[in-house]
Structure formats: structure tokens, C-alpha cells
Amino acid sequence: PHKSMGYKIPSNVENTYTFIVKSKGLGGEFKNLALNPTISVRTTRTESVKVEVNPNMTSVPAEYTITYKGSKTGFMAKDIGVITLIFPPETGIPNQIKSELITINGNPLKTSPEIDSIRSTIKFVTPVDLESNIQVQIKFALDSGITNPKTAKEDYKIRLFTTTDTLPADSATY
């Protein structure tokens, strides 16, 4: 399911594309098929993004657990699908995090995450297939070095999007 045929579909579009398909008929001549396939492209987003922080105290390193539900078309293949998280700018994000300190549904990353600590962004490739419409858990271990903001507030949010659910979704406040 959901296999790519090498077509790159632009992000942030809502269009229908029609492909002209030709079949080699009798006598070796290409002829148009009577019904050409169409593909509808719709952007989607994840749902029910939640964040748990432990300990939930200011200015200390913490374990972050982020859960979300992928969309009905949110399937991501292992070693290909990418998840992007944007933390609040007040959060301390280290320049590097060891891959084994981040898990997806209990499976450690196979490759190092891409981190932009200035923009509080962490991107990583899923180490396992993530089926459509399922609950996903991302866990950053305490030793990952993510530090809670210095100011106690109750309206912090993490923004999440993936290669298949491309519209950003904000978490519930934490």
C-alpha cells in the first residue's frame, strides 16, 4: 500500500491530476486507454497531538512523550517517513541527540535526528512502518538533553507534521 512510483507531488495543493496512460495494442501501436486514472491530492494533518513532560518543572532536563494519531492517509514507510517537531522557543534543544535516546512506538531511531536548536526543530526518520490512522508515541529520554523552559506557563505547545500529514498540527497545551 501507498507505494511511490517516483512521482513528486507538490506540497500544500488540493488538485486532481489525470495521467495519460497508453497501452500497446495489437500490431504494436500505443493507444490511449478509455479511462485514464486520476489522482486526488489533499493535504492532511495529524490529530490529537499531546505532550507529557517528566518532570514538569522549570529549567531542568526532562523526558518528553509526544503522542498523535496519524490521518487516514498518514501511512509512513520505515526508513523513509519523516516526522518534524517544533518545540516552543523557550525549550532548550541540544545541538545533538543520540539516536537511541529517541523512540517511536518503543523502537529507537536508526539514524541521528536533524536538529536546528536555534529554531527549536527536531526532524527524524521513522525506524518502523507507521500505518494510517494509528496512535504514535514519540519518546525523548531524559538523557536526550531537552531542557524545560525557564518560565512556568500552561500554554506551551509543540507543532508536529510528517511527510504524509503535511499540514502542521499543534499539540494540546502542556
Side-chain angles (χ1 to χ4, degrees):
H2 308 295
K3 293 195 180 188
S4 170
M5 292 175 47
Y7 295 107
K8 182 168 176 69
I9 297 176
S11 59
N12 300 325
V13 295
E14 295 232 4
N15 290 313
T16 300
Y17 297 89
T18 300
F19 292 87
I20 305 300
V21 178
K22 296 186 177 201
S23 173
K24 209 170 203 181
L26 292 174
E29 293 184 28
F30 283 103
K31 297 187 181 204
N32 288 338
L33 293 177
L35 297 172
N36 287 311
T38 59
I39 297 174
S40 293
V41 178
R42 290 180 176 53
T43 51
T44 56
R45 70 170 38 99
T46 61
E47 301 172 6
S48 307
V49 182
K50 295 181 180 124
V51 180
E52 291 180 33
V53 180
N54 186 23
N56 195 3
M57 300 166 43
T58 60
S59 303
V60 298
E63 174 184 275
Y64 276 71
T65 303
I66 298 121
T67 57
Y68 73 90
K69 183 178 179 186
S71 72
K72 292 177 186 173
T73 57
F75 171 84
M76 286 197 297
K78 69 178 179 177
D79 305 328
I80 297 173
V82 176
I83 299 171
T84 302
L85 298 170
I86 303 171
F87 286 77
E90 303 89 348
T91 307
I93 306 293
N95 291 323
Q96 294 181 341
I97 300 175
K98 291 180 181 176
S99 58
E100 63 268 17
L101 297 176
I102 304 171
T103 59
I104 299 179
N105 290 349
N107 299 279
L109 299 185
K110 294 178 185 175
T111 58
S112 296
E114 181 182 320
I115 298 174
D116 183 339
S117 56
I118 294 170
R119 290 182 178 83
S120 303
T121 302
I122 303 175
K123 284 181 172 182
F124 43 87
V125 176
T126 177
V128 292
D129 285 344
L130 296 174
E131 297 298 327
S132 302
N133 213 28
I134 65 158
Q135 191 77 20
V136 176
Q137 180 190 71
I138 303 162
K139 187 174 265 190
F140 291 84
L142 181 64
D143 292 340
S144 67
I146 297 176
T147 305
N148 288 337
K150 294 177 183 172
T151 306
K153 295 194 312 187
E154 293 186 12
D155 63 348
Y156 289 116
K157 293 181 183 181
I158 289 178
R159 180 164 282 179
L160 182 148
F161 57 94
T162 73
T163 48
T164 53
D165 290 324
T166 58
L167 291 175
D170 288 337
S171 71
T173 57
Y174 65 94

